[in-house]
Amino acid sequence: MKDYDESSAFLGQWGCFQQVVFFVLAASTIPNGSGVFSIVFLADIPRHHCLVPDANLTEDWLNAVIPIEVTDGEEERSSCSRYRLDVVKNLSSQGLIPGRDINLTQLEQESCVDGWSYSKDIYQSTIVSEFDLVCSEQWKQPFTSTVIFLGVLIGSFISGQLSDRFGRKTVLFATMAVQTIFTFVQIFSSSWLVLCVLLFIAGMGQISNYVSGFVLGIEILTGSVRVLFSSMGVCLGYAVGYMMLPLFAYYLRNWKSLLLALSLPGLAYIPLWWFIPESPRWLLSQGRVEEAEAIVRKAARWNKVEAPQVIFEKCSSHVDEVKTQQKEHHNVFSLLRTNNIRNTTLILGLVWFTLSIGYFGLSLNTSRLHADPYLSCFISAAVEIPAYIACWLALQYIPRRVSTICVLLLGGVSLFLIQLIPQSLQSLSVALEMLGKFGITCGSSLIYSYTAELYPTGLRNTATGTCTTLARVGSCIAPFLLQLSYLNKYLPYIILGTLYVVSAFAALFLPESFRRPLPETIQQMHKRGSLKWPIISRKQHSKPGLPFETKL
């Protein structure tokens, strides 16, 4: 809100108060990066075959009791069957040699009635080896990932409204506690079903605390620092957690030890309750002017500047209006109440959905980068660092709408081109996929800021949470989209590329928010007008520094 920015301008932009808020909130997203993709290691499928109990078999029969199958042109031991053990015992006792005296293809096979033997070359244990999620139960392995994203989806939908109702700080720390506690409790799961329930609850806290921390930061910070925070602060914290995940997983190859390592850092955030304030903007939107002033005066002491006797005198004319609006307790239906808000919400929902399905689809498909899962995960995470830097530069110097369209087209065109690359240039195909992820990651960071800048304070967290919910629908669909590669290797890329081009066209009709104050009321949002074409009028072209917009 312009009046708020002017009223708090005496604080400066980068004092001690802003530095604490910036770095603490950025650090709060580190567990999100390591937690959301931990399932890559927790639920990975080790090489396995039927367990052969001690049956006094000869060495030849011990090596031959597991059938050989051809997969992708390579011979490997069967994962889900063995030759009937009673028959093998009888043949072994007779001194017959497999392959010479006995044609193995004529022997009857049976399922793994005695369980499985899992390779420990990469992992000591995973939830797959713990609960035998293989063969007839293998459908449970990808469904486990879906359970997490379903929890994230529900958490995104609920947390936004809770944050607008009860405050950013309260929801931030509550969801951080949910994430930490239920990540730790997963260690004691007695069955796969219990584990899924705990994963679902932990998933609810995953994105919820990210969104609350993001909104809290952009409402407290101002100017270029707010842009830096929204584009690089929280995102780099997330990327750092993502890059730390393969390091933890490499040294802790037991799934329970990995969960313990991922949950313990959450305890370090308990003392931060006394350092992170509530959002003064949110307090003002609730009519709690005295509490907002108390926070700003505390910030002034931290920054060693003198606060005026009356801080929010300029915005006092808005208090009654805003307070009246908040009595309505805006919810998700408020996003569909008028044509302007409804159209903006629908377009943003499409863009969020597209960015999410592409981001998680490419992130879960990184096994093609390298045979080592730890290195593959690290490369996928490392690509995000330059993407966030590029996003920060775009937020600083390029209008939001132009930036959004460019990154969508970059992601879409890169994925379309993959199908044109011959098999002999596989490395170029991988490079294009990573270029696509670069654009998608940049867009995923950019869209948070764009969304938050379009909606008023009373609706900001609800709008962000709702759009995040739509994005999580995309993340739930992403694993199933990858399965379409069995029908056609390039079909997932074609579908994703089409979605990105369509979303880029739809983004043409979004309002611009570049270098404009955050709206505090729905009326201020409406003053930005109806959806606009990105056409530069001659009159506006003569005014440098202003957003280029004309009405339809």
Side-chain angles (χ1 to χ4, degrees), residues 293-310:
E293 282 204 0
I295 291 174
V296 175
R297 292 188 186 281
K298 179 180 179 181
R301 292 194 297 271
W302 283 25
N303 289 355
K304 298 181 180 180
V305 296
E306 184 176 352
Q309 293 184 348
V310 179

Side-chain angles (χ1 to χ4, degrees), residues 342-352 503 506-507 509-510 531:
R342 179 169 56 251
N343 292 333
T344 300
T345 301
L346 291 176
I347 295 175
L348 285 174
L350 173 62
V351 174
W352 277 79
S503 298
F509 300 96
L510 286 173
L531 301 181

Side-chain angles (χ1 to χ4, degrees), residues 57-73:
L57 299 178
T58 63
E59 184 175 352
D60 289 333
W61 280 106
L62 279 174
N63 294 329
V65 69
I66 305 298
I68 300 298
E69 298 177 345
V70 178
T71 304
D72 295 331

